[in-house]
Amino acid sequence: MSGARTSPGESVTRKRGRSLAALGHTKPQTYEELRAVLSSGTVHFPKRMRQVAIFLWQHPSDVALGTIAQVAAQAGVQPSTLVRFAQIFGYAGFSDFQGLFKDHLKGSWPEGRTRDNKEPAAAEPHADLHFLNGMVGASQASLNRIGNGFDTDSFEKMADLLAGAELIYVIGSKRAFPVTTYLSLTLSQQGVRNVLVDNVGSTALDQVGCISQCDAVLAVSFSPYNSITPDLVALAHDRGARIVAITDSTFSPLAKLSDTWLEVVEQDFAGFRSLAASLAVGMALVHGVVARRTG
């Protein structure tokens, strides 16, 4: 005789329990606990779930304030994918999972401020300035995020490692290339020997061919991480060079390869991302290296 039949609700609960057991974690109760699980390296997502995880990591405010359709569209997935992602972590659906992000957002607002009592935005002076004002706003938002929980210990370790290197290789491509170009130029102007790996003529592998354990790499990379940068950093890592990185989430391939790294998340407007925060952090890092070498 067969055992007692389970209801659909009990079946779903058991599936969520098995998912959490497989992760080795209990159901996260706060946004900070969720980030701790995601950064632990014990969760291995398929492509679409990983895409969701990166978006949630980088844009908690958008997740808190958006509808499931809006968040799905921004993350580039179907709403059902968000529901499945929430269920992995023990939640019945996306709406209650979203509560983690809402609570986090409320805690980050200044005292007495709510979403509903914010002062209305001033009217834009001219329609042609709409995009400019949007990019300025994105840059300001990116810079404000730097002030909220900046990892001073990682920053100081990065400066120490770069200051102690015989030669610094500066690596970044695509959207990160303007950042690395300017950092390399500034290092050179301050008398710090460095190599900008620019991959002109597809020579990037040759440009890092002489890297050794006496050298260091300053790498910059942003999602979707589909550039040559991780391959070059992996080669440098195998050669014993010290690796420091500026990247935008724990899911970046640079995070595992680096001795230390800093998280910098840039806000976007109309599909265009700011570079303001990355440049600000990079310039502060150059200043720190120079100060350590001349102090």
Side-chain angles (χ1 to χ4, degrees), residues 152-190:
T152 305
D153 292 339
S154 291
F155 179 87
E156 292 181 347
K157 184 177 179 181
M158 289 174 71
D160 289 340
L161 291 176
L162 292 175
E166 289 187 4
L167 186 63
I168 300 172
Y169 288 78
V170 189
I171 302 176
S173 58
K174 295 187 176 180
R175 189 168 64 90
F177 188 65
V179 179
T180 55
T181 301
Y182 191 48
L183 297 185
S184 175
L185 171 64
T186 309
L187 285 167
S188 296
Q189 290 175 333
Q190 297 297 318

Side-chain angles (χ1 to χ4, degrees), residues 76 181 193 261 276:
T181 301
R193 294 176 63 245
W261 61 281

Side-chain angles (χ1 to χ4, degrees), residues 155 158 171 176 179 183 218-222 244-249 252 254 258 260-266 277-283 285:
F155 179 87
M158 289 174 71
I171 302 176
V179 179
L183 297 185
L218 169 56
V220 183
S221 181
F222 307 112
V244 303
I246 296 173
T247 191
D248 55 6
S249 84
S252 168
L254 299 190
S258 300
T260 188
W261 61 281
L262 277 171
E263 178 183 319
V264 177
V265 180
E266 298 280 7
S278 303
L279 285 167
V281 171
M283 294 307 297
L285 189 58

Side-chain angles (χ1 to χ4, degrees), residues 183-240:
L183 297 185
S184 175
L185 171 64
T186 309
L187 285 167
S188 296
Q189 290 175 333
Q190 297 297 318
V192 179
R193 294 176 63 245
N194 72 93
V195 174
L196 173 64
V197 181
D198 55 20
N199 199 29
V200 172
S202 300
T203 59
L205 290 173
D206 297 309
Q207 289 177 311
V208 298
C210 295
I211 196 167
S212 73
Q213 60 186 1
C214 298
D215 303 322
V217 168
L218 169 56
V220 183
S221 181
F222 307 112
S223 60
Y225 318 119
N226 57 357
S227 68
I228 194 175
T229 301
D231 293 335
L232 297 174
V233 172
L235 187 152
H237 179 269
D238 291 342
R239 296 281 184 84

Side-chain angles (χ1 to χ4, degrees), residues 23 29 37 45 63 67 69 71 73 87 92 103 117 125 132 140 143 164 166 179 182 224 244 246 253 265 267 271 289:
L23 291 175
Q29 301 297 320
V37 174
F45 296 112
V63 177
T67 65
V71 175
Q87 290 174 343
D103 291 343
N117 66 15
L132 174 61
Q140 291 172 335
L143 292 167
E166 289 187 4
V179 179
Y182 191 48
V244 303
I246 296 173
V265 180
Q267 195 70 22
V289 172

Side-chain angles (χ1 to χ4, degrees), residues 114-163:
T114 65
R115 188 188 178 197
D116 295 329
N117 66 15
K118 288 189 293 184
E119 294 182 2
E124 294 177 351
H126 196 284
D128 290 339
L129 294 179
H130 173 72
F131 183 81
L132 174 61
N133 290 339
M135 287 305 302
V136 169
S139 298
Q140 291 172 335
S142 301
L143 292 167
N144 287 338
R145 293 182 74 155
I146 295 298
N148 297 328
F150 185 71
D151 191 343
T152 305
D153 292 339
S154 291
F155 179 87
E156 292 181 347
K157 184 177 179 181
M158 289 174 71
D160 289 340
L161 291 176
L162 292 175

